[in-house]
Amino acid sequence: ESVLQLVDCFCQMARLRIARHFEGLHHNADRDGYRLAQHVLAGKLNWVEDGILRGADTVLTGVNPSQRKGVDE
């Protein structure tokens, strides 16, 4: 009987985990994330990128891109 109790407990816990995972399929931020990704791809959030790459380049190389010769802005 103790084996059956152990198996029953294991199965109940597994069913609860499965139910939570399936619930997560319907209650998530996918729709909002997709909408945001579409805005990014359409170029509507380019202002977020302003200065990020230039700043990273300065940190990585120690040289500000605007101070390099031949740098197109």
Side-chain angles (χ1 to χ4, degrees):
E1 185 172 309
S2 61
V3 172
L4 292 178
Q5 288 175 324
L6 179 64
V7 171
D8 186 47
C9 181
F10 175 81
C11 290
Q12 285 178 351
M13 291 169 45
R15 281 191 288 274
L16 288 172
R17 281 194 310 273
I18 291 168
R20 279 196 308 262
H21 288 299
F22 274 106
E23 185 177 318
L25 292 174
H26 303 289
H27 301 285
N28 56 49
D30 288 350
R31 196 171 282 150
D32 293 333
Y34 178 80
R35 218 175 285 127
L36 178 61
Q38 294 304 307
H39 286 293
V40 170
L41 292 173
K44 295 179 180 178
L45 297 174
N46 287 343
W47 60 270
V48 175
E49 297 174 10
D50 289 346
I52 291 175
L53 295 177
R54 276 187 226 98
D57 191 40
T58 301
V59 170
L60 294 174
T61 65
V63 178
N64 189 325
S66 63
Q67 296 173 338
R68 280 194 243 150
K69 292 182 181 181
V71 174
D72 295 326
E73 288 289 322

